[in-house]
Amino acid sequence: MAIEVRDVNKNFGKTPVLKDITVDVPSGSLTALLGPSGGGKSTLLRVIAGLENPDTGTVVISGVDATRLSPQRRNVGFVFQHYAAFKHLSVFRNVAFGLEVRKQPKDKIRARVMELLELVHLQDFAERYPGQLSGGQRQRMALARALAVEPQVLLLDEPFGALDAQVRKELRSWLRRLHDEVHVTTVFVTHDQEEAIEVADRIVLLADGKVVQTGSPHEIYDHPANEFVMSFLGPVTRIDGHLVRPHDIEVSLDPSPGATEAIVSRVVRLGFEVRVELTIGEQEAFAQLTRAHADQLGLAPGTAVHVRPAAGAKALPVPA
Amino acid sequence: MTTTVVPAGAAAPAGPGQPEKVPVSAGRRQHRAGTAIGLGTAIIYLSLIVLIPLAAVVWKGAGRGPGFFWDAITTPEAKSTLLLTVGASMLVAVLNLVLGTLIAWVLVRDSFPGKTIVDTLIDLPFALPTIVAGLVLLTLYGPKSPLGINLAYQRSGVVVALLFVTLPFVVRTVQPVLLELDRDMEQAAASLGAGPWLTFRRIILPNLLPAMISGTALAFARAIAEYGSTVLISGNIPFKTQVASVQIVSQIESDNMAGAAAVATVLLVVALVVLLTLDLIQRWGARRG
């Protein structure tokens, strides 16, 4: 294990932020700490980095108890949401900072920095200052800076949170490819379930200061531990006392065994898919259909239909 | 410049052949007229308040030819007074640079009871008439000092008086910059292996330096011109504690206007050179950062 967090508790004043957190991060993995804001995921990351001290519990990095080590002795790379670029230093000097602190010879620093700038596609920007870079470029610079010291683990705190949607998507898949090249154990914090599923090979889901579920993205998506996990990872709706994904609902005009009767209240066309809003008795629900299927059924407000979870679909029974 | 200022509303209905073109040019013309008025006002105001009086001083000082000017500023008394003024001001500026930054740091980064009161007290030297400050200092550090510290009629008394009136400059220029400083930078430096001192020297200090320098420049400029707070405690002993501004007053009182203006001109040049040098240092720093 690259990181072992054991029974960590942390309070801010009287508010508990982390409650008995135990998490293992395997070496070489790309792990997402996922959860709603205020769930404690950033605090956990900062505890691992040594930027916050836990009230109780231990943090072991690469087999060494790091709980009482200061951040500068942990050899972790940390990437901040708002880049934390050294504004007064050039891109080159930013990336070189950690190596200069370690008093490496100049020619060695130069070679290593240029190699890293190439890795993050900033080799032509070495002499620029952070103020002259776009957000995405600044974050790539921050990543190169964190990687320069060959950290045992790389920690990223909402690394794409401050970027616009387009750049965010690009950097996501780029981070995935980078990790496949560099193989450094990486933990990143995100509140975006899509980002976690796309980038990570392991997800730790945190809510309310507790670990709710740990597993690979599809394990968590397909076998959510509870109602909360299921609704956090994607849209859900309720039919017949079950929580179901709206694309897992079968809609037909004729009654079938196990199906519930519903009335179509609205049909919304969203590009290639159609969202059908339904009224089941007093309750509201919705289903996602392909456009062709919806046209074939001829759905319109007022149509009486029969709905049921598709065979093999994940349906969590929920109390009414 | 022709000032045909068209209200934006009147220009809005553009002809069908030239959509949008008319309002844009009208807007631009209006904008330029606005700039001209602003620029003109600023220049006239600056000229009336600063440039013309300064020119008058220089003209008065140099009016009787370079020979007289040189003689006026190289009398033993003028030389000693100028050296004391510039020397004491430099000392005061350097002390302010260090201690003002320290005070700003404590006010921003530390929390202690009564912090708000201390923060308010910093501005007191600005609010107090300097002659009152001089009186207070003379009472505290004069011959009848309740503290047993007598600085009256000594050069150290001049320095203390100057320190008192220049205290706010560095504190108030550094404080907002320190407040705005991105704390993540320090944590990033720590995670890259830098200790607190290295982080301060390599990360915090370079970001504070421009503010520290401009605060110091203001403090220096204020110190060489200070009159009220020093006149009482210094005792105005020629060759010992007489500062330039006091010497200028005594020259005027003995009806030597040209001599007074000559010394004033030297102060002006020193202030200008110092301000320009510090500005150049700052620009050089800004280009790098």
Side-chain angles (χ1 to χ4, degrees):
Chain A
M1 287 295 153
I3 306 171
E4 294 159 71
V5 176
R6 290 284 172 274
D7 305 314
V8 161
N9 281 281
K10 172 83 187 166
N11 297 302
F12 285 141
K14 282 183 181 166
T15 323
V17 193
L18 298 176
K19 303 171 193 163
D20 290 322
I21 298 273
T22 293
V23 171
D24 284 331
V25 177
S27 299
S29 71
L30 177 47
T31 301
L33 295 181
L34 174 68
S37 6
K41 50 198 190 316
S42 280
T43 309
L44 177 57
L45 197 75
R46 295 171 63 82
V47 164
I48 296 172
L51 299 174
E52 301 279 356
N53 283 320
D55 298 339
T56 60
T58 55
V59 176
V60 174
I61 300 173
S62 302
V64 179
D65 184 355
T67 316
R68 298 288 150 213
L69 279 186
S70 67
Q72 83 234 41
R73 301 194 182 284
R74 292 197 187 196
N75 200 25
V76 298
F78 202 95
V79 173
F80 296 80
Q81 178 175 4
H82 298 287
Y83 328 123
F86 301 143
K87 295 193 288 271
H88 59 296
L89 299 177
S90 66
V91 170
F92 183 94
R93 295 285 309 282
N94 260 277
V95 178
F97 187 84
L99 301 169
E100 287 175 2
V101 168
R102 283 166 177 71
K103 301 209 188 320
Q104 304 254 350
K106 274 224 164 97
D107 49 336
K108 213 175 147 192
I109 292 180
R110 173 138 215 110
R112 173 88 180 127
V113 171
M114 290 320 286
E115 181 193 326
L116 279 159
L117 287 180
E118 218 155 287
L119 186 72
V120 299
H121 307 299
L122 286 175
Q123 62 273 35
D124 299 335
F125 296 85
E127 296 314 314
R128 300 264 187 109
Y129 285 88
Q132 300 167 306
L133 302 182
S134 71
Q137 289 170 332
R138 267 184 240 186
Q139 200 55 300
R140 298 209 306 265
M141 180 195 83
L143 204 58
R145 182 175 71 181
L147 286 172
V149 297
E150 291 176 36
Q152 288 168 317
V153 293
L154 180 64
L155 308 172
L156 305 101
D157 189 4
E158 300 252 7
F160 314 130
L163 303 169
D164 61 55
Q166 187 61 35
V167 182
R168 218 183 149 117
K169 283 220 158 122
E170 274 170 37
L171 275 191
R172 256 189 217 172
S173 49
W174 177 80
L175 176 66
R176 180 68 243 181
R177 273 179 283 135
L178 185 81
H179 181 262
D180 295 341
E181 267 178 64
V182 185
H183 289 305
V184 58
T185 309
T186 305
V187 181
F188 75 101
V189 160
T190 180
H191 60 263
D192 181 342
Q193 85 286 352
E194 217 182 287
E195 192 166 289
I197 290 170
E198 186 185 326
V199 179
D201 41 43
R202 280 184 85 256
I203 292 177
V204 176
L205 206 113
L206 281 165
D208 214 10
K210 288 187 200 146
V211 176
V212 185
Q213 196 176 357
T214 307
S216 70
H218 63 90
E219 267 166 19
I220 290 189
Y221 190 87
D222 293 340
H223 307 287
N226 57 31
E227 227 179 300
F228 166 78
V229 177
M230 187 163 177
S231 44
F232 191 76
L233 283 180
V236 286
T237 190
R238 263 172 199 229
I239 58 167
D240 198 19
H242 285 79
L243 213 56
V244 187
R245 299 256 180 243
H247 55 78
D248 279 342
I249 294 176
E250 266 181 18
V251 180
S252 65
L253 296 173
D254 305 315
S256 54
T260 315
E261 206 178 314
I263 305 291
V264 175
S265 56
R266 196 160 165 246
V267 178
V268 187
R269 291 173 175 269
L270 303 159
F272 70 96
E273 63 175 35
V274 174
R275 190 172 70 188
V276 182
E277 296 180 3
L278 305 160
T279 317
I280 306 171
E282 296 283 285
Q283 289 196 336
E284 308 247 308
F286 72 102
Q288 269 171 316
L289 273 61
T290 63
R291 198 172 183 137
H293 191 196
D295 287 348
Q296 186 198 333
L297 293 171
L299 297 179
T303 315
V305 291
H306 298 268
V307 293
R308 65 171 186 192
K314 176 75 192 174
L316 269 187
V318 282
Chain B
M1 177 163 190
T2 52
T3 47
T4 41
V5 179
V6 184
Q18 32 181 179
E20 279 189 89
K21 211 177 166 190
V22 174
V24 165
S25 66
R28 201 170 288 162
R29 201 181 312 151
Q30 218 175 10
H31 178 71
R32 247 199 287 167
T35 311
I37 291 170
L39 193 64
T41 312
I43 287 178
I44 290 169
Y45 182 78
L46 265 179
S47 306
L48 282 176
I49 301 294
V50 182
L51 295 177
I52 293 174
L54 288 189
V57 169
V58 175
W59 178 73
K60 191 90 190 166
R64 293 212 211 152
F68 176 84
F69 179 82
W70 186 250
D71 290 343
I73 62 165
T74 50
T75 63
E77 198 184 331
K79 252 182 13 194
S80 123
T81 204
L82 281 169
L83 277 178
L84 171 66
T85 306
V86 174
S89 300
M90 279 187 173
L91 179 65
V92 163
V94 171
L95 284 172
N96 264 303
L97 178 68
V98 178
L99 292 170
T101 307
L102 183 77
I103 293 172
W105 181 274
V106 168
L107 285 177
V108 172
R109 291 292 173 96
D110 295 338
S111 60
F112 51 91
K115 182 169 144 174
T116 344
I117 299 170
V118 174
D119 198 19
T120 315
L121 280 179
I122 300 291
D123 286 328
L124 210 60
F126 273 159
L128 218 57
T130 52
I131 190 78
V132 176
L135 204 61
V136 169
L137 289 173
L138 189 65
T139 319
L140 264 184
Y141 303 121
K144 291 177 197 157
S145 164
L147 306 170
I149 305 166
N150 186 0
L151 303 178
Y153 320 132
Q154 290 177 38
R155 290 187 165 180
S156 52
V158 175
V159 171
V160 168
L162 293 180
L163 280 175
F164 180 82
V165 292
T166 54
L167 169 75
F169 288 101
V170 173
V171 180
R172 287 296 185 236
T173 47
V174 171
Q175 208 178 3
V177 180
L178 200 52
L179 268 174
E180 291 292 307
L181 199 69
D182 181 8
R183 299 289 294 263
D184 284 354
M185 279 201 293
E186 292 159 52
Q187 300 191 334
S191 79
L192 290 168
W197 168 240
L198 196 65
T199 304
F200 179 76
R201 202 161 51 84
R202 300 272 313 268
I203 304 300
I204 300 173
L205 202 57
N207 280 292
L208 293 186
L209 212 55
M212 288 164 68
I213 289 175
S214 43
T216 306
L218 289 172
F220 177 81
R222 173 66 195 269
I224 60 168
E226 182 54 24
Y227 177 82
S229 62
T230 54
V231 69
L232 290 178
I233 201 162
S234 76
N236 311 317
I237 306 164
F239 302 107
K240 192 177 174 200
T241 59
Q242 192 179 51
V243 294
S245 56
V246 177
Q247 204 241 352
I248 291 171
V249 173
S250 68
Q251 295 268 9
I252 294 169
E253 279 169 351
S254 56
D255 217 16
N256 182 6
M257 284 302 255
V263 173
T265 305
V266 173
L267 287 187
L268 197 66
V269 170
V270 170
L272 212 60
V273 166
V274 168
L275 289 179
L276 274 177
T277 311
L278 293 178
D279 188 58
L280 281 178
I281 294 175
Q282 243 184 66
R283 274 163 203 262
W284 176 72
R287 202 155 38 82
R288 290 174 64 238

